[in-house]
Amino acid sequence: MTTDRAAVFHQPVLVNEVLEYLAPRAGTIVDACVGGAGHARQILAVLGSGRLLGLDLDPEALAEARRQLDSYENVELVQANYADMVAIVKRLNLEPVRGVLFDFGVSYHQLRTASRGFSFELDGPLDMRFDQSASLPPALALVRRASPKEIAAWLEEYGQERFAKRIARRISAFRGRLHTTRDLADCVRASVPGKMWRKSLARVFQAVRVRVNNELENVRNGLAAALNLLEPGGRLVAISYHSLEDREVKTALREAERDGRARILTPKPVRPSESEVRANPQSRSARLRAAERL
């Protein structure tokens, strides 16, 4: 049996729903988080004469997208922050833009590659940058130089972690011995009572990752760029995996609707079906929201 390499790299979620709400047709579709091209391949299968612009900060993801989309001529792939999509579209003369897709969060490949430092289940360098060649400091540098108060603020704001202050004090006390993801995980385990440590691990690693990559600021700026870029009738589709991202999407779309710039297509977030969750457990937390530009 052959293995779908794109699915191994990262299995896309809510594919049918993405196609339904994005309604790709003539013009340019921006896949703002192209990753391993799982959604992009499905979009291109129905795009016809349109073009697809794929953006990603992660050079490993972009290399995989190039492999997956090599046979297509109507594709442009750019390593970039999706917040910069307006300038990129104009530079490549890709207007009008008929759709923008965001698939936020971390990919399966990133989580399962120890050297990227995203997972508490694999021991690796405490990095967590989507682009390891960027000038942004890795997680280790940020954690080592931050005060306990600053670390606790990250854990509370970006991870909604109830034991934030306790964990932050321990991280700060052991900062000189912090080197790897396992070291950080050990600090969390030693700070949280009983069997609660696993959920705390997920929240702490999420919080540090969000801080390292300035994710919420990028989400806000990316959504604003997409709404400015779309032509009337164009669609914005965003998939979030935790409540902080989803709140940013919900707020941006509601403000755009209130200002008369967009019409919300999903009064409530669209969730994966039970069959999709069984086939791909990582899809469980996904929430899709969509809007049409007016």
Side-chain angles (χ1 to χ4, degrees), residues 10-15 18 39 103 239 241 272 276 280 282-283 286:
H10 181 69
Q11 186 171 346
V13 306
L14 295 164
V15 171
V18 164
H39 285 115
D103 184 10
I239 303 173
Y241 296 88
E276 179 170 3
N280 178 19
Q282 288 187 311
S283 71

Side-chain angles (χ1 to χ4, degrees), residues 35-49:
H39 285 115
R41 290 196 305 168
Q42 301 299 323
I43 292 168
L44 285 163
V46 298
L47 188 54
S49 62

Side-chain angles (χ1 to χ4, degrees), residues 7-277:
V8 171
F9 193 90
H10 181 69
Q11 186 171 346
V13 306
L14 295 164
V15 171
N16 292 333
E17 293 83 354
V18 164
L19 295 178
E20 175 187 351
Y21 286 103
L22 194 62
R25 54 189 186 271
T28 296
I29 302 296
V30 179
D31 188 339
C33 316
V34 70
H39 285 115
R41 290 196 305 168
Q42 301 299 323
I43 292 168
L44 285 163
V46 298
L47 188 54
S49 62
R51 295 191 62 81
L52 184 135
L53 170 63
L55 306 176
D56 210 291
L57 275 172
D58 187 340
E60 293 179 10
L62 213 61
E64 179 63 19
R66 288 195 175 95
R67 282 190 288 269
Q68 293 294 330
L69 306 179
D70 183 61
S71 61
Y72 292 93
E73 296 182 354
N74 57 336
V75 174
E76 295 279 356
L77 296 174
V78 179
Q79 183 183 351
N81 188 322
Y82 48 65
D84 299 325
M85 70 174 71
V86 174
I88 296 166
V89 165
K90 292 183 181 299
R91 173 168 58 84
L92 297 176
N93 195 27
L94 291 176
E95 294 178 295
V97 172
R98 295 290 307 175
V100 179
L101 169 65
F102 293 95
D103 184 10
F104 298 121
V106 62
S107 74
Y108 179 82
H109 172 77
Q110 289 164 336
L111 283 172
R112 302 314 299 170
T113 303
S115 61
R116 302 303 301 272
F118 287 103
S119 175
F120 56 82
E121 295 180 330
L122 301 173
D123 193 27
L126 200 52
D127 194 313
M128 299 194 193
R129 291 172 296 174
F130 289 138
D131 177 8
Q132 290 182 308
S133 66
S135 58
L136 289 173
L140 179 61
L142 283 179
V143 168
R144 279 186 168 176
R145 73 190 187 200
S147 68
K149 185 176 180 180
E150 288 173 316
I151 296 171
W154 304 343
L155 303 188
E156 290 173 346
E157 182 177 359
Y158 304 137
Q160 299 169 306
E161 171 53 48
R162 61 179 296 193
F163 298 107
K165 291 182 175 62
R166 185 186 299 183
I167 295 169
R169 286 195 296 268
R170 189 167 188 90
I171 289 172
S172 184
F174 285 85
R175 70 177 70 220
R177 283 175 267 178
L178 276 181
H179 300 282
T180 70
T181 53
R182 183 171 294 167
D183 296 334
L184 178 59
D186 287 344
C187 283
V188 177
R189 288 191 187 96
S191 305
V192 178
K195 297 181 179 180
M196 305 175 72
W197 56 266
R198 189 167 185 85
K199 287 186 177 180
S200 289
L201 276 173
R203 290 191 287 258
V204 168
F205 271 67
Q206 172 186 295
V208 175
R209 188 199 83 216
V210 168
R211 172 61 184 86
V212 167
N213 295 287
N214 299 316
E215 288 182 47
L216 296 185
E217 179 182 353
N218 285 331
V219 168
R220 284 191 289 272
N221 292 338
L223 291 166
L227 287 165
N228 287 331
L229 192 59
L230 284 167
E231 68 169 0
R235 300 285 185 85
L236 185 156
V237 176
I239 303 173
S240 307
Y241 296 88
H242 59 75
S243 60
L244 300 177
E245 293 169 342
D246 185 56
R247 184 174 62 196
E248 295 291 345
V249 176
K250 180 170 63 174
T251 299
L253 298 189
R254 283 183 175 177
E255 289 179 354
E257 186 172 61
R258 189 168 55 246
D259 295 343
R261 295 182 295 134
R263 176 172 65 93
I264 292 175
L265 303 175
T266 52
K268 293 183 178 181
V270 177
R271 305 298 296 267
S273 65
E274 291 182 7
S275 60
E276 179 170 3
V277 172

